[in-house]
């Protein structure tokens, strides 16, 4: 039987880093095995209102717990891949086999701060592939010079773990899932109806991901009652329910707010699993596992985190792990 790992999502857009440290500790006490953390320069909305630097936080959180951690990162524009390779290598040397990086093509929201041209999706994917090749070469101890969409001259890492870090491919469409199957060690995607999730996993397998893990970030809203769960989801996450083709090119939190203004509370259930019943969430998550997911990362999108962590630790996690 496959062992299912259950992670807590630490959302730097919604909470101060000090608060997220506390939630990481509570997650460990509740029985979560992993943490997934976001890596944004801006929040998704003015209402969320935070944007801590995830890489500073990771060192503190990994020292404070014994959990495994992952981050979704976009090397190539805001971050140079040699610097990200160094950051990953350092964390993996300090905390062996407890850290992985997911690589994606990025969003204009975060990347525009460098004032560089924002490439089309196909070019961003090509740039991402170059970044991954650069990082993997550096992790092997090679000296790297690269002249392409990314420029590297005579880079070499001296502090390295004794293994190659895991690189996960971030995919939101079947086309991207098929592509990441050819180069990633695993795939991470977001929750969706079972039939759509199966298509994503099948595309990943067909592209070369057969036998590789599938990670799922689950957007949910759990609270003391349904009204609170709906209200919290709408307040915090209504800007995020649109297609990635739209969200990738919005420049600012105020731009996301302008898009989200048309979203009604009753629209949220199409993109967020909303229920005040642990049993209902357990049913949904069990269906994800049946579809082929090997690691779950639960993001309670409202602000009421401690009751969620405690309730799921008592009533959901024991039945999944």
């Amino acid at each position: 039987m496959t062992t299912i790992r259950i992670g807590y999502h630490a959302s730097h857009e919604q909470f101060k880093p000090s608060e997220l440290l506390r939630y990481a500790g509570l997650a460990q006490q509740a029985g979560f095995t992993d943490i997934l953390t976001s890596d944004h320069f801006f929040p998704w909305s003015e209402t969320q209102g935070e944007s801590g630097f995830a890489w500073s936080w990771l060192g503190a959180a990994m020292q404070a717990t014994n959990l495994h951690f992952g981050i979704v990162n976009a090397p190539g524009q805001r971050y140079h891949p040699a610097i990200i390779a160094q950051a990953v290598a350092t964390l993996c040397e300090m905390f062996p086999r407890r850290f992985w990086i997911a690589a994606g093509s990025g969003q204009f929201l975060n990347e525009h701060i460098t004032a560089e041209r924002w490439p089309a999706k196909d070019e961003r994917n090509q740039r991402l592939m170059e970044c991954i090749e650069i990082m993997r070469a550096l992790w092997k101890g090679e000296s790297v010079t690269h002249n392409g969409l990314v420029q590297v001259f005579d880079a070499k890492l001296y502090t390295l773990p004794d293994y190659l870090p895991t690189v996960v491919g971030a995919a939101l469409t079947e086309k991207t899932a098929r592509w990441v199957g050819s180069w990633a060690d695993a795939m991470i995607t977001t929750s969706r109806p079972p039939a759509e999730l199966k298509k994503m996993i099948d595309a990943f397998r067909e592209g070369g991901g057969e036998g590789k893990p599938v990670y799922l970030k689950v957007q949910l809203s759990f609270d003391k009652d349904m009204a609170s769960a709906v209200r919290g989801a709408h307040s915090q996450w209504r800007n995020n329910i649109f297609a990635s083709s739209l969200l990738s090119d919005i420049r600012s939190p105020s731009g996301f707010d302008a898009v989200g203004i048309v979203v009604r509370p009753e629209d949220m259930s199409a993109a967020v699993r909303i229920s005040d019943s642990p049993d209902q969430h357990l049913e949904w998550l069990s269906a994800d596992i049946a579809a082929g997911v090997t690691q779950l990362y639960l993001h309670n999108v409202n602000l009421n985190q401690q009751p969620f962590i405690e309730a799921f630790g008592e009533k959901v996690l024991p039945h999944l792990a």
Side-chain angles (χ1 to χ4, degrees), residues 138-152:
L138 289 168
W139 292 331
K140 292 176 182 177
E142 298 174 9
S143 180
V144 176
T145 295
H146 181 86
N147 185 20
L149 294 174
V150 179
Q151 306 292 313
V152 183

Side-chain angles (χ1 to χ4, degrees), residues 2 11 53 58-59 62-63 72 95 105 137 142 147 150 162 165 169 173 177 195 219 264-265 267 272 281 295:
T2 302
S11 178
F53 186 55
L58 278 164
M62 294 183 76
Q63 177 64 25
V72 181
F95 309 107
S105 61
E142 298 174 9
N147 185 20
V150 179
D162 60 3
T173 66
Q219 293 82 229
R264 305 166 299 173
D267 298 329
V272 178
H281 286 285
Q295 297 194 28

Side-chain angles (χ1 to χ4, degrees), residues 163-184:
Y163 64 97
L164 288 179
T166 297
V167 180
V168 179
L172 294 176
T173 66
E174 289 176 48
K175 180 180 179 181
T176 303
R178 186 170 287 104
W179 175 62
V180 302
S182 67
W183 56 262

Side-chain angles (χ1 to χ4, degrees), residues 8 43 65 95-96 118 177:
Y8 169 77
T65 70
F95 309 107
W118 179 237

Side-chain angles (χ1 to χ4, degrees), residues 3 34 36 64 95 250-251 262 283:
T3 299
D34 294 69
L36 174 63
F95 309 107
I250 297 175
R251 183 181 62 84
V262 302
E283 181 179 330

